Amino acid sequence: MIEHILNKAFFSKTDILRLLNTTKDEAVLLYQKAAKVKEEHVGNKVYFRGLIEMSNICSKDCFYCGIRKSNKQFERYTLENEAILEAARFAYSENYASLVIQSGELQSAHFTDNISNLLKTIKLESNHELGITISLGEQEKSVYQKWFNAGAHRYLLRIESSNKELYYKLHPKDKEHDFENRISCIRTLKEIGFQTGTGIMIGLPFQKLEHLAEDLLFMKDMDIDMCGMGPYVEHADTPLFQYKDQLLSQRERFVLSLKMIAILRLMMPKINIAAATALQAIDPLGREKALKVGANIMMPNITPGVYRNDYSLYQNKPCVDEEASDCKNCLEARINLTGNTIGYGQWGDSKHFLEKQKTLLDY
Ligand code: SAH
Ligand code: SF4
């Protein structure tokens, strides 16, 4: 049985592999333990970050992603600043307390300056009450610093896979998709003082359980503050789609994602872990199930309805036809059913990060 592993203070790669290989009955023990550790360390509150998908224009060509540069099968859009501010006002008025601004990756001065201005305006308009996470890809240190100074205080940059060989099966092998640069960006974000999040996709072609175990050890080793990870969901207009018959079933990818979340909660009890939207693409209650096994962050989509269909990173994206307020109502009912309550009006920053800060100040 796995009890002796669950009670360990540190997991080895072998321990993690054993936990990833748990049978259905054993997994219940893993989930229960993760739920208990979550309750003890971060409580049973879910914090909202209203998700704004700012633009689907991207200069990169990741092999898994539906909005990659080479995909010509859909309309590109960039939200007007006013639409972004309107979404931010909605989040503020609904007491969501935080936003995530996400976009395809662009490096132009126009893009970076515009983001700075938006961040400043959102902070001003919300009386500095809205917390802002950004997820805008790899940038120069000076750009990250500018955005930090403008008011963003959390950054999400998934490593996608921490295994270099696998990384290059998922990305073109060129300067724009450099594995070392992605790691170095995560380090830079931490240095600047962002609460820094990373994550991976689960159930990718060529991915083995060993890779997933290494990914969790990578997150621990990088001492990250937040994690967003979820199942890989194939997209027909991408190069990786050719491997669709070699994948685990969507259900298996889903279960593996829950196990990954539960194990990470045990390894890093005080970090923030998002219930990734991709979970809901596979199971209508996917995110709620993640909240029951260790996740504590939810990102309700508040992108204006007309654009949602075009921010199609993967197929079956949930809630693409709904208005943001509909999502809020259904979310609330579903979250209450999980035994969690919503931390309305609270940033819900990473306790892991805050305690590190405090230790630094104590010296
Ligand atoms: N361009 C930025 C942020 C937007 S993409 C970046 O890449 O960092 C946000 C995340 O969507 C990516 O990190 C990736 O993990 C996820 N994603 C892309 N395609 C996906 C797919 N087919 N299945 C599941 N997640 C996907
Ligand atoms: Fe662009 Fe991000 Fe998609 Fe890669 S994952 S193609 S960087 S939006």
Side-chain angles (χ1 to χ4, degrees):
M1 285 305 268
I2 57 164
E3 279 94 340
H4 73 286
I5 300 181
L6 293 176
N7 288 325
K8 284 188 180 180
F10 295 98
F11 293 161
S12 65
K13 188 171 164 186
T14 317
D15 294 333
I16 299 173
L17 277 171
R18 176 70 184 87
L19 295 176
L20 288 173
N21 270 316
T22 38
T23 61
K24 214 170 171 183
D25 289 345
E26 288 173 333
V28 173
L29 297 177
L30 166 64
Y31 298 151
Q32 280 170 352
K33 178 81 181 187
K36 190 157 160 262
V37 167
K38 172 186 156 183
E39 184 168 12
E40 267 169 31
H41 291 269
V42 294
N44 278 338
K45 267 204 184 138
V46 183
Y47 299 99
F48 276 2
R49 284 87 174 88
L51 172 63
I52 305 175
E53 295 161 332
M54 182 182 162
S55 172
N56 65 4
I57 301 177
C58 188
S59 61
K60 292 177 78 172
D61 239 345
C62 310
F63 294 148
Y64 42 83
C65 179
I67 65 172
R68 62 199 297 271
K69 179 175 73 177
S70 301
N71 184 7
K72 309 277 187 249
Q73 305 296 321
F74 67 106
E75 294 282 317
R76 300 278 171 176
Y77 74 85
T78 299
L79 292 183
E80 300 283 344
N81 282 351
E82 192 45 42
I84 296 169
L85 294 174
E86 198 47 53
R89 284 176 207 127
F90 171 83
Y92 185 54
S93 68
E94 297 291 320
N95 237 347
Y96 279 9
S98 287
L99 297 176
V100 184
I101 302 177
Q102 203 182 65
S103 173
E105 190 175 306
L106 288 176
Q107 268 119 1
S108 71
H110 171 75
F111 177 77
T112 53
D113 288 346
N114 189 46
I115 295 283
S116 296
N117 291 335
L118 274 168
L119 293 170
K120 285 181 202 154
T121 311
I122 293 170
K123 286 309 246 189
L124 262 181
E125 277 200 3
S126 70
N127 215 6
H128 288 262
E129 286 171 32
L130 271 181
I132 311 178
T133 306
I134 46 179
S135 182
L136 304 168
E138 292 167 46
Q139 304 284 344
E140 295 293 328
K141 181 171 188 182
S142 58
V143 172
Y144 285 149
Q145 185 70 57
K146 249 191 232 166
W147 290 344
F148 185 75
N149 297 346
H153 77 291
R154 310 183 199 107
Y155 204 106
L156 205 62
L157 186 69
R158 286 182 171 182
I159 189 66
E160 317 295 1
S161 166
S162 65
N163 180 285
K164 188 169 172 177
E165 214 174 297
L166 179 55
Y167 190 89
Y168 284 120
K169 290 187 173 148
L170 312 173
H171 301 92
K173 206 165 187 175
D174 61 23
K175 220 167 87 238
E176 283 198 310
H177 300 82
D178 185 74
F179 176 70
E180 262 85 27
N181 189 54
R182 202 146 179 103
I183 296 190
S184 135
C185 282
I186 298 173
R187 294 217 165 91
T188 305
L189 289 163
K190 285 183 66 184
E191 262 165 48
I192 290 175
F194 278 103
Q195 283 177 49
T196 305
T198 193
I200 52 145
M201 282 172 285
I202 296 155
L204 288 156
F206 316 113
Q207 191 180 46
K208 306 265 175 293
L209 290 185
E210 279 82 2
H211 294 133
L212 292 173
E214 285 164 17
D215 288 332
L216 292 175
L217 290 167
F218 169 85
M219 293 183 214
K220 175 93 181 162
D221 191 46
M222 291 290 278
D223 198 24
I224 54 153
D225 308 302
M226 327 185 292
C227 175
M229 61 181 164
Y232 162 69
V233 185
E234 61 274 35
H235 190 299
D237 302 319
T238 59
L240 284 194
F241 196 66
Q242 63 186 298
Y243 305 110
K244 63 178 191 311
D245 297 332
Q246 302 171 23
L247 298 172
L248 294 175
S249 71
Q250 289 208 343
R251 183 51 38 189
E252 287 167 321
R253 279 175 257 165
F254 180 81
V255 171
L256 206 45
S257 300
L258 292 185
K259 288 182 182 173
M260 286 288 285
I261 289 173
I263 299 169
L264 183 63
R265 175 56 72 202
L266 299 181
M267 292 171 69
M268 305 188 78
K270 289 182 196 295
I271 65 168
N272 278 347
I273 304 180
T277 314
L279 290 163
Q280 201 191 353
I282 295 184
D283 181 324
L285 289 176
R287 290 177 305 174
E288 290 74 9
K289 289 179 184 168
L291 295 177
K292 283 182 137 180
V293 302
N296 68 329
I297 301 291
M298 180 90 95
M299 302 188 287
N301 196 335
I302 59 167
T303 309
V306 284
Y307 294 107
R308 286 204 208 158
N309 251 328
D310 288 324
Y311 196 82
S312 186
L313 304 168
Y314 43 83
Q315 289 173 325
N316 254 342
K317 249 190 83 187
C319 281
V320 285
D321 298 325
E322 292 171 56
E323 284 302 324
S325 54
D326 297 339
C327 284
K328 188 194 172 198
N329 292 339
C330 63
L331 268 180
E332 204 165 285
R334 296 204 309 249
I335 287 170
N336 289 336
L337 286 176
T338 66
N340 285 265
T341 54
I342 301 167
Y344 282 121
Q346 298 161 51
W347 279 6
D349 277 331
S350 162
K351 282 219 166 96
H352 183 82
F353 176 86
L354 296 176
E355 289 186 7
K356 268 190 296 187
Q357 295 288 93
K358 193 172 166 298
T359 318
L360 277 178
L361 290 175
D362 287 347
Y363 277 105

